[in-house]
Amino acid sequence: MAEPVRLTTTPEGIAVVALEDRDSSNTFSSPFIDGLMRAFEQVRGDPGLKAVVVHGYDSYFCCGGTKEELIAILEGRLEFAALPFYDILLQCELPVIAAMQGHAIGGGLVLGCYADIMLLAEESLYGAVFMKYGFTPGMGGTYIVPRRFGDVLGNEILFTAKNYYGHELRARGIPARVLKRTEVIPAAMAMARMLADKPRLALTELKKTLAAPIRLALPQVVETELAMHRVTFAQPEVRSRIDARFGR
């Protein structure tokens, strides 16, 4: 059985984290979460590394929460804050490049937004679909999505829960590079090689400084989102929306 998350390293000191949970289409399954955490634990333990590239497989980058997780939140058995992986790209001490060559939906988009650098694909879909289910965004999405996409577009993404093609986002002027899908991972690796040419200490110090405002803001954002979840998940229509979107 193939590993849901595969870590490889290059001689230049680049860690490549490949998200390849084909059984769950890179949703937040338990094997996916465990594999992601193991990969970044290995990255943390390797002093020879200087940069990290995260990418998906085929047309998938990451597609967010499973039906089981959403129902567990609805029933009060789980809070997203108890899933200690969602900001793992932010907490990594090395600069992280999200090569989002495939669809990034819901929590999968938020996960990618915690990278220091994002690359998107023209043909892939990107959306924060929380509100389609009738509940408010989580995982710090209310903060990090507008921060990455700009307040006006970020608010639109969150409120409408629409999926946008990468070429649409490029036309809206997002600050991330948008390339053809086949070009995303090679471009991310080329950028990582540029980073790996720098001293590790300089890279970690710059990451610490640039990530500090997000790390500082996130605990209060998460508390606010959890409070909203306690209200919005309580709506009777949320379960039916979840059932309808995932199929019973």
Side-chain angles (χ1 to χ4, degrees), residues 53-77:
V53 172
V54 181
H55 66 77
Y57 74 92
D58 298 344
S59 61
Y60 295 97
F61 175 73
C62 185
C63 295
T66 65
K67 180 179 180 180
E68 291 73 23
E69 286 162 346
L70 297 182
I71 293 297
I73 294 173
L74 183 149
E75 294 178 346
R77 295 182 284 110

Side-chain angles (χ1 to χ4, degrees), residues 58-126:
D58 298 344
S59 61
Y60 295 97
F61 175 73
C62 185
C63 295
T66 65
K67 180 179 180 180
E68 291 73 23
E69 286 162 346
L70 297 182
I71 293 297
I73 294 173
L74 183 149
E75 294 178 346
R77 295 182 284 110
L78 178 67
E79 291 183 339
F80 72 81
L83 301 172
F85 73 95
Y86 66 89
D87 62 345
I88 200 166
L89 311 190
L90 173 69
Q91 300 305 334
C92 180
E93 66 177 343
L94 299 174
V96 178
I97 301 170
M100 301 165 71
Q101 92 301 332
H103 308 313
I105 308 298
L109 176 67
V110 176
L111 178 73
C113 284
Y114 283 116
D116 304 284
I117 301 169
M118 297 162 47
L119 284 76
L120 280 61
E122 296 175 352
E123 313 95 314
S124 295
L125 290 167
Y126 305 91

Side-chain angles (χ1 to χ4, degrees), residues 126-147:
Y126 305 91
V129 297
F130 306 91
M131 294 283 279
K132 283 185 180 177
Y133 299 101
F135 59 82
T136 46
M139 297 177 51
T142 57
Y143 174 82
I144 199 65
V145 171
R147 185 178 178 94

Side-chain angles (χ1 to χ4, degrees), residues 23 25 52 66 71 93 139 151 155 179 211 221 241:
D23 291 337
S25 301
V52 182
T66 65
I71 293 297
E93 66 177 343
M139 297 177 51
D151 286 342
N155 288 354
L179 307 168
V221 170
R241 283 174 177 254

Side-chain angles (χ1 to χ4, degrees), residues 3-22:
E3 290 293 321
V5 177
R6 183 169 49 89
L7 172 66
T8 57
T9 59
T10 73
E12 304 102 317
I14 302 166
V16 181
V17 179
L19 311 178
E20 298 178 340
D21 191 354
R22 296 172 186 269

